[in-house]
Amino acid sequence: MAAMLQSIGVASASVTFSNHTNKLTSSSVHSLPVIRSEARTISGAINGSRKTGKVITKAVAAQAESPASAASKPGHELLLFEALREGLEEEMDRDPRVCVFGEDVGHYGGSYKVTKGLAEKYGDLRVLDTPIAENSFTGMAVGAAMTGLRPIVEGMNMGFLLLAFNQISDNCGMLHYTSGGQFTIPTVIRGPGGVGRQLGAEHSQRLESYFQSIPGIQMVACSTPYNAKGLMKAAIRSENPVVLFEHVLLYNLKERIPDEEYVLSLEEAEMVRPGEHVTILTYSRMRYHVMQAAKTLVNKGYDPEVIDIRSLKPFDLYTIGNSIKKTHRVLIVEECMRTGGIGASLTAAINENFHDYLDAQIVCLSSQDVPTPYAGTLEEWTVVQPPQIVAAVEQLCK
Amino acid sequence: MACSATAKILQPLSIRSAEKSQSCSKMLSPSSFLGSTPLPKKLFSVNKTISPLARRSATIVAVSSDVVKEKKLKSTQNLLITKEEGLVLYEDMYLGRAFEDMCAQMYYRGKMFGFVHLYNGQEAVSTGFIKLLKKEDCVVSTYRDHVHALSKGVPARQVMSELFGKTTGCCRGQGGSMHMFSKEHNVLGGFAFIGEGIPVATGAAFTSKYKREVFKEDCDEVTLAFFGDGTCNNGQFFECLNMATLWKLPIVFVVENNLWAIGMSHLRSTSDPQIWKKGPAFGMPGVHVDGMDVLKVREVAKEAVSRARRGEGPTLVECETYRFRGHSLADPDELRDPAEKAHYATRDPITALKKYVIENKLASEAELKAIEKKIDEEVEEAVEFADKSPVPERSQLLENVFADPKGFGIGPDGKYRCEDPKFTQGTAQV
C-alpha cells in the first residue's frame, strides 16, 4: 500500500507540473521556473492509449537510479516531510523572526521529523520545545506575532489543537479585526491530521471542518512534496494567520522538486489531471484515492478532470468554475466528515455560483459521521475508497 | 487596613507547609499609609507563612513582616514620592475615575451599548503599575480595560470614541469596550474571555527575550498582564506561570483581586484563596499588596518590574482591591454585602492619595483641584469629540479581516475578491 501511495504520488506530481503556468491571476509566484522532470501531456484521448501507466514504474522504490541519470535530472528528490523541513529552513534562514513553537519540535526533531536538526542549527529559543499546554503556547504565538515575530505553531497531532481552539478562533482569527487593523498575526499553525493507520478516534481527526468558519484565518492542505514546500513557504511569508493541514500518511511520499526557490499561492487550486467528463474536487490524501480511481475510470473509458483544491478557505472558485463550465458534472471527494465539512461548504459555493452550468446534482463523497474506529476493516469503511469513487463517477456520467 | 506586602521566594522544590500562622491581626485606620516608609528590597525574601484558613473579611487580617513593623516606628521623613510624581499619580487616578463615571452616564443615555465594565475603585493598581512603564513596554488586560489603556497613554478621546463605536476610536469602532488595543502605546488588548490574554502577554514577553538573545538587541521591555481573581482558577493562568518561570520571561502577572467574579465570591470558588501563594508553587515570587494604596502598589511594582528588566524572571503580584460598581453596567450588584461596600468606600484610593499629598505638603488643595478641573474638561471634550465623530461606513466592514486581503480568495472571474470594486463598498460576496 505504501509503495502504491508512493507511486501515485509521483504520477500525480509529474502531472501537476504541466499546469502551473496556466493561471491567469495577478499573482506571479507560480511563474517561477518550474522544472518538468516528468512532463507528460495527458491528452484527451478516451480510447485506451494511456501513457500514465508507464509513469508509475519510475516511482517504485526498488528501482535505483544510476548516478549518471540522477545527476542529469534537474532538481532533487526528497520525501514530503523533508520538503516541509526544507521550506521551513529556507524561511528561517531568510528571516530571523521566524520561530517554531511546539511539543518535541526541538531536541526530538518533531513527532514526524519535520523540524529535525533545526534546534541544533538555530538554538532552543528559535525552535522552542514547549510544555504540554496547547492553548497557552498558541496564545503565546499570537502574542509573539503581535509584537513582531513570525511564529509557527506545530500541533503534534492536529487533533491536539482542539485544545487551542480558544486562541485560534478568538485571537488568531479575530485580533487583526478587533484591533482595527493595528496588529497583524502572521502565524502558521500546522500539524499532521487525517485518518492514519489504526490510530484510534482521537488521533484521526479532520479539523478542517471545525476551523473553516473562523473568520480571519486561511486554510491550506498540502498533498505532495512540491506543494508542501511551496505552501509552507507561502504560509510563513503571509501576513495572515494560516492553518496548514498535513496528513499523517503522506509524510513519506517521494518526489523530485526543483532546486530553485519557489513559493506557491495560498489561494489557488492545483490541476492534477485535465479531463472532459467530470470534475473531481479533492484535497490531501483523497487525491491519491482519486487518482487510483482515475486509472480504473480511464480504463473504462471515462476522462475525469481532477483538481486538488489545496486552498480550503477560501476556495479557488476560478479554477473550479472553469472546470465546471467544461465538464458540467462535479464530484467532491474528501476525508472530512459529511456534516458541515469542506465538501458541504464547497457544494454550497458551487451551487450558488455555477448552478447554471451543472447538468447533474453535485455528488459529495465524505467520511462517515463516525468516530474513526480502531479496527482496520471498520477504519477502511469510514473513509472514501477508490471503488466508491469509480461507482460515483459512473453514476454521475450516466 | 491590610498592611505591607508579604512575599516569599521558595526554591521550587522546597517543602513548606503553610499551617503555622504567624500573622499579626491588626485593624488599622483606613487612611494611615504604612507604606510611607520605603519598603526594602529584602522584603521579597521574607519568609512568613500565614494560615491557609485565614479569610479576608470585613475585619482585615493583616500580615506584616517584622521589617516593615520596625520601620514604622522610625520617622517618616523619607517620602515615597516627589511632588511631580504625586501629581502624576493623582491625575492618572482621577482621570480613570472621571472617565469611568462619564462612561456610566453615557451608557444610560444610550450612547454606548453592550457590556461595559467599569474600573471604579481599582485605580491604584493601574496607576501604581503602569505609570512606571516605558512606552515600549506592553500591557495586556481583560474586559475591564478602559483605565489600563488610559494609564498607558491612549488619549481619552480615542477610548471614548471607541466606546461610542465611531471610526475615530482606537480600534476604528471595531473592538468596543472589551477590546482596547493600541499599537502606538503597546496596549495589546482588551480580551473578552478571561485568561485569554495571559498567554498573549507571555508571548509579548517572549518576544522581548527573543530580541535580547536572538537579535542580540539591548532589549529590556517588560510586559504586564492584568487579570482578576476569577481568572486565577483558569488553566491558562497556571500554564503561563509555568512557562514564564521556565524561560525566565520579563513579565509581571498582576492579579486584581476584587473578591468577586460577577456574583461568584472568590472564597466560594477557590480552594486556597491566597493567590500570591500560587507563584512560589511555580518557582516565582508571589507578593500580596494592598491594592487600595497606590504608593504601596507602586513600591511593589518597582521591584517586580525591575526584576523583570534585569532578566531575573516573572513575579506574581496579588493586589487586594475592590470595585465600587457592579461587574458591568448591566449588573444589578445585589449579592455584595452593603457593609463590605461601605468599608471599601472608606478606602478610596484617590481620597487616600489626596490626603497623603496634602498632609505631607507635597501639593496644595488648590493644585489638586486644578488637576481635577483639567481632567473634567478633558473628559467632557472626549465626549464631544466622540459625539461629533462619524460612524463607520459600510466600506469598513470587510477591511481588516485579513492583513493581506488576498485571503478572501479568488472569485469566479479569476480576480482576487479584494480587487472587486464592490469589495471596497462592503457589498462584495465573500
Side-chain angles (χ1 to χ4, degrees):
Chain A
M1 184 64 172
M4 183 150 53
L5 266 182
Q6 230 179 341
S7 66
I8 291 169
V10 175
S12 54
S14 67
V15 172
T16 58
F17 287 151
S18 58
N19 267 296
H20 283 303
T21 49
N22 288 349
K23 295 293 188 291
L24 302 174
T25 55
S26 54
S27 161
S28 62
V29 277
H30 42 267
S31 61
L32 282 171
V34 171
I35 309 298
R36 298 165 187 238
S37 57
E38 294 287 332
R40 296 264 189 273
T41 48
I42 308 298
S43 68
I46 293 171
N47 303 324
S49 57
R50 303 304 331 151
K51 298 285 182 208
T52 37
K54 294 265 174 62
V55 176
I56 298 166
T57 57
K58 183 228 179 251
V60 170
Q63 199 178 49
E65 288 177 335
S66 69
S69 69
S72 66
K73 287 201 174 87
H76 56 285
E77 214 170 49
L78 40 52
L79 304 178
L80 195 145
F81 75 89
E82 290 168 343
L84 287 167
R85 184 171 69 223
E86 213 176 75
L88 184 48
E89 204 172 331
E90 282 175 19
E91 291 304 301
M92 287 182 84
D93 274 334
R94 180 179 173 266
D95 187 345
R97 297 172 300 169
V98 177
C99 49
V100 183
F101 294 179
E103 294 156 12
D104 273 332
V105 293
H107 295 189
Y108 194 77
S111 52
Y112 288 90
K113 302 298 175 217
V114 174
T115 48
K116 188 168 177 200
L118 297 184
E120 284 88 45
K121 186 171 172 192
Y122 298 109
D124 278 345
L125 211 57
R126 280 191 83 183
V127 186
L128 188 72
D129 275 323
T130 59
I132 305 176
E134 279 81 5
N135 205 11
S136 293
F137 69 70
T138 307
M140 253 183 74
V142 172
M146 286 167 83
T147 42
L149 299 186
R150 302 185 77 90
I152 297 156
V153 174
E154 169 168 320
M156 193 183 257
N157 182 287
M158 272 307 222
F160 300 171
L161 292 179
L162 285 173
L163 290 154
F165 206 101
N166 172 206
Q167 293 290 344
I168 295 174
S169 152
D170 289 357
N171 289 350
C172 270
M174 295 194 195
L175 282 189
H176 185 73
Y177 195 78
T178 48
S179 68
Q182 291 181 82
F183 290 102
T184 55
I185 322 282
T187 47
V188 178
I189 297 171
R190 50 160 291 270
V195 176
R197 285 270 171 274
Q198 297 191 251
L199 298 178
E202 292 180 9
H203 281 83
S204 313
Q205 300 195 66
R206 285 78 78 200
L207 260 45
E208 9 340 333
S209 54
Y210 302 176
F211 288 158
Q212 67 174 319
S213 298
I214 300 173
I217 60 164
Q218 280 187 255
M219 306 198 312
V220 286
C222 63
S223 48
T224 66
Y226 179 78
N227 65 33
K229 179 175 173 186
L231 290 175
M232 170 73 98
K233 287 170 71 89
I236 295 172
R237 292 190 196 189
S238 171
E239 294 301 315
N240 299 333
V242 178
V243 185
L244 170 59
F245 291 95
E246 302 153 13
H247 197 287
V248 280
L249 291 181
L250 300 184
Y251 278 125
N252 288 322
L253 282 182
K254 194 188 262 205
E255 188 183 351
R256 182 168 284 276
I257 65 169
D259 288 327
E260 299 84 34
E261 203 188 3
Y262 67 94
V263 180
L264 295 177
S265 166
L266 289 173
E267 297 89 22
E268 285 176 23
E270 191 178 310
M271 177 69 72
V272 183
R273 180 192 187 283
E276 296 285 330
H277 287 168
V278 60
T279 299
I280 306 183
L281 301 172
T282 181
Y283 64 92
S284 193
R285 182 193 169 207
M286 286 297 119
R287 170 183 171 143
Y288 298 96
H289 282 203
V290 167
M291 289 310 289
Q292 200 182 341
K295 276 179 23 224
T296 316
L297 286 168
V298 152
N299 288 336
K300 290 189 174 189
Y302 294 96
D303 187 21
E305 177 153 292
V306 180
I307 295 178
D308 180 342
I309 60 173
R310 253 175 27 191
S311 173
L312 304 180
K313 177 181 156 92
F315 295 131
D316 178 2
L317 289 181
Y318 181 64
T319 310
I320 294 171
N322 284 350
S323 178
I324 295 173
K325 288 175 188 170
K326 187 169 45 155
T327 65
H328 311 296
R329 288 181 166 80
V330 181
L331 171 66
I332 301 171
V333 180
E334 56 161 1
E335 204 175 305
C336 236
M337 258 76 78
R338 172 144 216 87
T339 307
I342 299 289
S345 299
L346 194 48
T347 306
I350 295 174
N351 273 327
E352 259 172 32
N353 288 290
F354 306 114
H355 183 258
D356 290 337
Y357 297 97
L358 292 170
D359 280 350
Q361 210 178 32
I362 301 173
V363 177
C364 180
L365 297 178
S366 346
S367 295
Q368 302 289 321
D369 275 339
V370 154
T372 314
Y374 166 74
T377 43
L378 291 178
E379 186 185 65
E380 214 180 288
W381 295 322
T382 319
V383 297
V384 179
Q385 300 294 340
Q388 292 168 274
I389 303 173
V390 173
V393 169
E394 290 180 327
Q395 180 70 20
L396 202 49
C397 290
K398 265 219 247 289
Chain B
M1 176 167 198
C3 58
S4 84
T6 321
K8 305 157 75 113
I9 293 187
L10 294 178
Q11 296 312 307
L13 295 178
S14 83
I15 304 161
R16 176 178 287 281
S17 79
E19 269 108 48
K20 294 209 205 101
S21 172
Q22 292 163 27
S23 57
C24 65
S25 275
K26 291 171 116 150
M27 173 75 133
L28 302 166
S29 82
S31 54
S32 69
F33 272 28
L34 277 189
S36 57
T37 53
L39 301 176
K41 283 207 174 64
K42 245 183 62 174
L43 196 59
F44 275 61
S45 54
V46 168
N47 290 326
K48 272 271 182 237
T49 55
I50 59 178
S51 162
L53 301 174
R55 292 281 190 260
R56 214 206 305 189
S57 60
T59 312
I60 307 299
V61 175
V63 179
S64 73
S65 72
D66 286 335
V67 179
V68 176
K69 257 203 303 200
E70 282 162 28
K71 292 270 180 184
K72 185 197 172 211
L73 300 171
K74 292 188 191 155
S75 75
T76 54
Q77 280 307 325
N78 309 337
L79 296 179
L80 283 174
I81 47 171
T82 63
K83 172 176 179 167
E84 291 75 31
E85 288 170 347
L87 294 180
V88 163
L89 297 180
Y90 188 79
E91 184 173 332
D92 193 54
M93 289 209 290
Y94 192 81
L95 171 62
R97 181 68 61 88
F99 189 92
E100 299 291 70
D101 283 339
M102 184 60 81
C103 278
Q105 268 192 56
M106 292 297 115
Y107 188 84
Y108 294 125
R109 281 199 212 157
K111 300 288 185 81
M112 58 177 89
F113 300 92
F115 292 129
V116 179
H117 307 84
L118 298 183
Y119 202 72
N120 297 47
Q122 299 182 194
E123 295 87 359
V125 180
S126 175
T127 301
F129 268 94
I130 300 182
K131 281 308 173 197
L132 290 172
L133 297 183
K134 303 185 297 200
K135 197 168 187 195
E136 298 79 31
D137 295 323
C138 298
V139 165
V140 172
S141 178
T142 55
Y143 44 72
R144 206 179 296 282
D145 56 350
H146 307 167
V147 178
H148 294 132
L150 291 172
S151 291
K152 194 66 175 49
V154 182
R157 41 163 48 188
Q158 277 184 26
V159 181
M160 192 60 85
S161 287
E162 182 61 32
L163 293 168
F164 281 31
K166 306 289 178 87
T167 43
T168 45
C170 52
C171 302
R172 304 179 80 202
Q174 288 166 196
S177 165
M178 299 185 281
H179 303 284
M180 292 291 168
F181 288 83
S182 167
K183 187 150 178 101
E184 189 192 334
H185 299 278
N186 286 304
V187 176
L188 302 184
F191 291 94
F193 289 16
I194 58 161
E196 210 175 41
I198 306 177
V200 174
T202 314
F206 180 84
T207 304
S208 177
K209 183 181 163 93
Y210 193 97
K211 282 188 194 168
R212 224 180 7 243
E213 296 187 13
V214 177
F215 297 162
K216 309 282 189 237
E217 278 172 24
D218 202 5
C219 177
D220 66 348
E221 287 155 25
V222 157
T223 306
L224 298 186
F226 291 91
F227 47 93
D229 43 285
T231 312
C232 296
N233 293 323
N234 189 281
Q236 290 180 84
F237 169 64
F238 298 111
E239 289 174 0
C240 289
L241 287 185
N242 177 42
M243 292 197 288
T245 315
L246 194 60
W247 299 316
K248 284 228 177 110
L249 299 181
I251 183 173
V252 183
F253 297 100
V254 184
V255 183
E256 295 167 327
N257 184 352
N258 57 23
L259 284 184
W260 292 89
I262 308 188
M264 186 63 161
S265 154
H266 179 58
L267 305 173
R268 283 183 71 216
S269 69
T270 315
S271 52
D272 185 348
Q274 285 158 359
I275 301 171
W276 59 269
K277 277 163 53 174
K278 299 179 186 182
F282 287 91
M284 72 171 83
V287 187
H288 175 269
V289 68
D290 174 8
M292 304 305 269
D293 176 347
V294 67
L295 298 176
K296 288 198 188 121
V297 172
R298 193 178 151 89
E299 286 306 299
V300 168
K302 267 192 206 161
E303 178 53 28
V305 169
S306 40
R307 228 183 86 84
R309 283 206 211 284
R310 288 192 299 266
E312 290 170 20
T315 315
L316 176 66
V317 181
E318 178 186 355
C319 303
E320 182 193 322
T321 181
Y322 201 76
R323 51 171 164 81
F324 293 156
R325 289 182 181 266
H327 164 74
S328 72
L329 288 173
D331 174 20
D333 195 17
E334 286 159 352
L335 271 182
R336 300 194 297 176
D337 184 6
E340 187 187 73
K341 292 192 227 181
H343 168 80
Y344 278 97
T346 62
R347 293 170 58 183
D348 187 330
I350 297 180
T351 350
L353 181 65
K354 186 171 189 172
K355 189 158 190 262
Y356 179 87
V357 161
I358 291 176
E359 272 176 4
N360 289 289
K361 312 243 185 327
L362 284 173
S364 67
E365 179 117 20
E367 281 173 304
L368 295 180
K369 275 252 172 329
I371 290 179
E372 288 172 21
K373 184 159 179 293
K374 178 178 126 193
I375 294 296
D376 286 335
E377 277 168 13
E378 190 179 324
V379 174
E380 289 277 351
E381 193 271 332
V383 172
E384 268 173 42
F385 175 79
D387 255 336
K388 290 207 201 93
S389 296
V391 286
E393 297 284 321
R394 183 149 188 177
S395 54
Q396 200 183 308
L397 180 66
L398 299 173
E399 288 170 16
N400 307 140
V401 176
F402 288 107
D404 178 3
K406 294 226 283 282
F408 279 112
I410 300 173
D413 58 1
K415 291 204 293 230
Y416 275 95
R417 288 191 198 277
C418 53
E419 293 164 8
D420 175 0
K422 282 216 200 117
F423 183 89
T424 50
Q425 293 164 21
T427 50
Q429 259 271 307
V430 289

